[in-house]
Amino acid sequence: MFDQFMARIASRFGRVEPRASARAYLLGLLSKAERKNCWQLAEQAGLARPGPMQRLLRYARWDADAVRDDLRAYAVEHLGADGGVLIVDETGFVKKGHASAGVQRQYTGTAGRIENSQVGVFLAYATSRGRALIDRRLYLPEQSWCGDPERRHAAGIPDDVQFQTKPRLAWEMIAPALEAGVKARWVTGDEAYGQDPQLRAALEARGTGYVMAVACSTRVRINHGRTLVRADTVAERLPATAWQRQSAGKGAKGPRHYDWAWIHTGTDEHRHLLIRRNRTSGELAFYQCWSPTAVPLAELVRVAGVRWSVEECFQAAKGQVGLDHYQVRHWISWHRHITLAMFALAFLTALADPVSDQAAALVQLAQTPPGNSPTQPLQTAGRPRTCWIDHETALEY
């Protein structure tokens, strides 16, 4: 099973050594090693020193973007379904020192405050079959990095990499994903992306619907575009009959029910302001929505709720496959580690999909030590489950 997974990217590594190192690196990311940096991954692979792992991330000849393309195709193959949503979001990587590419004191939601950190912008793909991270960009701050040639050179940042806003980085991931055949009719994201008019315009030009969070101070046009008013003012003026109770999806404690209202904005009948109200606290959240065809309120609510899938991806990637365990400073090394960690997470997600071929095979492999065969059909329901992905590594999922 793992060997079939590895075979998808084996051709990206022209020589035997980096190919073997990549296999060991991925197995290490999938293992229960407490920390998943080069030293620990080398130890997990039975190596005396981390040299092969370090060379894989820095000096070996392979294209991380090509492996990213393989990851994206893998996610579509194993998770593709009607109702797919692309989600853009960022996560921070708190670091020490000032040499890591893109690091500076900046706000990161990971810490909930300003910290010395790197920030990565990610694209996630979510369907009824699962969710996975399928693309990544390292944010390069304009003042502290883009205009400092010496610092750029030391961190290995290519000359053609220039400053781009986070919404622009998001579009550079969304457009290729759609062109590559990712089955997604919708894009969603938080305020950092919903507030950007160029991103919304690009999605509309492509005919891709969106449900994007915006600030309460956002001004929208109501009354067929004649009146410009703040979003929170609209919410204050809505009658009680405008609110409908709907679920934004399942949470840890069951369906996540909120009160929802939607209002036509502009002159386009497919453009709305969506408002969510917490039934206990009364807290409000606002979304600008557009779709190429008419959709019901329930569909907009579903897409808004799917946005939280990316937070689950970050939590799983950092907690299970070492997304943030790296100890590298170089631009190329960051993208290589992050790509392999994303691929490992996609593999776990595919295993958990109850309708995938791999999951069907688990009926025979789950909880079965290497070299033995199950004596009776095994139940695939319940958690945790275990399968052997090679002769030495047992994987709980």
Side-chain angles (χ1 to χ4, degrees):
M1 197 178 332
F2 177 80
D3 288 336
Q4 293 175 350
F5 165 74
M6 184 64 201
R8 300 183 71 102
I9 61 172
S11 63
R12 303 298 185 184
F13 305 90
R15 298 178 61 247
V16 173
E17 180 185 351
R19 192 180 310 133
S21 296
R23 184 180 190 279
Y25 200 95
L26 282 166
L27 284 172
L29 294 176
L30 292 166
S31 74
K32 289 188 175 181
E34 184 176 353
R35 295 294 298 174
K36 295 175 180 179
N37 55 45
C38 287
W39 277 96
Q40 277 69 34
L41 295 182
E43 182 178 346
Q44 182 73 20
L47 302 174
R49 300 188 64 80
M53 303 301 187
Q54 293 170 340
R55 286 192 294 274
L56 176 71
L57 296 186
R58 178 70 183 272
Y59 299 109
R61 296 183 63 181
W62 61 282
D63 187 347
D65 286 345
V67 173
R68 181 272 321 276
D69 293 344
D70 294 335
L71 158 64
R72 187 170 56 205
Y74 180 84
V76 171
E77 177 182 333
H78 290 277
L79 304 179
D82 292 339
V85 179
L86 291 173
I87 314 162
V88 291
D89 202 1
E90 61 197 62
T91 190
F93 304 90
V94 178
K95 309 299 290 183
K96 296 180 179 179
H98 304 282
S100 299
V103 71
Q104 72 167 16
R105 286 189 58 79
Q106 55 191 324
Y107 178 82
T108 168
T110 302
R113 59 183 180 272
I114 295 176
E115 284 281 1
N116 194 62
S117 61
Q118 296 169 295
V119 172
V121 179
F122 288 80
L123 183 67
Y125 179 50
T127 73
S128 58
R129 298 176 63 185
R131 67 279 187 279
L133 301 172
I134 61 171
D135 206 347
R136 72 288 177 264
R137 294 288 190 279
L138 179 60
Y139 174 69
L140 195 65
E142 184 175 17
Q143 299 298 327
S144 59
W145 278 93
C146 290
D148 190 335
E150 184 176 345
R151 197 179 190 193
R152 290 172 58 104
H153 178 75
I157 299 171
D159 293 338
D160 61 348
V161 174
Q162 300 300 321
F163 173 74
Q164 292 180 303
T165 65
K166 293 171 183 176
R168 180 62 191 176
L169 293 175
W171 176 246
E172 287 193 349
M173 296 185 288
I174 294 168
L178 294 174
E179 291 170 1
V182 174
K183 302 174 183 178
R185 294 179 53 218
W186 296 97
V187 172
T188 187
D190 67 14
E191 290 181 20
Y193 304 92
Q195 295 286 130
D196 189 270
Q198 293 180 333
L199 177 57
R200 298 198 310 268
L203 289 168
E204 291 181 25
R206 192 178 179 88
T208 301
Y210 60 78
V211 178
M212 306 292 276
V214 294
C216 63
S217 58
T218 300
R219 294 183 176 272
V220 296
R221 291 192 175 275
I222 59 175
N223 298 329
H224 301 285
R226 293 190 296 267
T227 305
L228 187 64
V229 62
R230 282 174 56 118
D232 52 1
T233 301
V234 174
E236 291 172 2
R237 296 176 180 175
L238 289 175
T241 54
W243 298 93
Q244 302 179 39
R245 184 185 183 190
Q246 302 235 3
S247 171
K250 294 182 180 179
K253 299 180 180 180
R256 293 178 287 132
H257 285 114
Y258 295 91
D259 291 332
W260 299 85
W262 61 335
I263 302 93
H264 284 289
T265 59
T267 58
D268 186 342
E269 64 177 2
H270 302 153
R271 193 181 305 278
H272 296 87
L273 173 68
L274 177 68
I275 308 172
R276 186 192 73 198
R277 184 175 67 190
N278 187 293
R279 294 176 57 83
T280 302
S281 67
E283 181 182 4
L284 299 175
F286 302 87
Y287 306 84
Q288 288 210 36
C289 311
W290 179 85
S291 58
T293 59
V295 296
L297 171 62
E299 178 68 355
L300 299 183
V301 169
R302 181 188 72 85
V303 177
V306 167
R307 193 189 75 78
W308 290 104
S309 296
V310 72
E311 302 294 345
E312 296 169 349
C313 283
F314 290 147
Q315 183 179 4
K318 292 181 178 182
Q320 298 178 26
V321 296
L323 185 77
D324 60 342
H325 292 188
Y326 62 88
Q327 293 178 339
V328 298
R329 298 175 174 178
H330 201 269
W331 175 270
I332 291 177
S333 302
W334 185 90
H335 285 86
R336 289 181 170 184
H337 168 82
I338 295 296
T339 302
L340 292 174
M342 288 171 21
F343 221 138
L345 181 65
F347 177 68
L348 292 180
T349 304
L351 286 179
D353 175 23
V355 301
S356 72
D357 292 339
Q358 290 177 327
L362 289 179
V363 175
Q364 297 300 318
L365 291 175
Q367 301 177 343
T368 303
N372 295 333
S373 299
T375 57
Q376 59 185 5
L378 298 174
Q379 299 296 319
T380 59
R383 293 292 189 269
R385 291 183 287 182
T386 304
C387 72
W388 293 84
I389 56 179
D390 67 3
H391 291 294
E392 300 177 350
T393 307
L395 175 67
E396 287 189 359
Y397 67 100

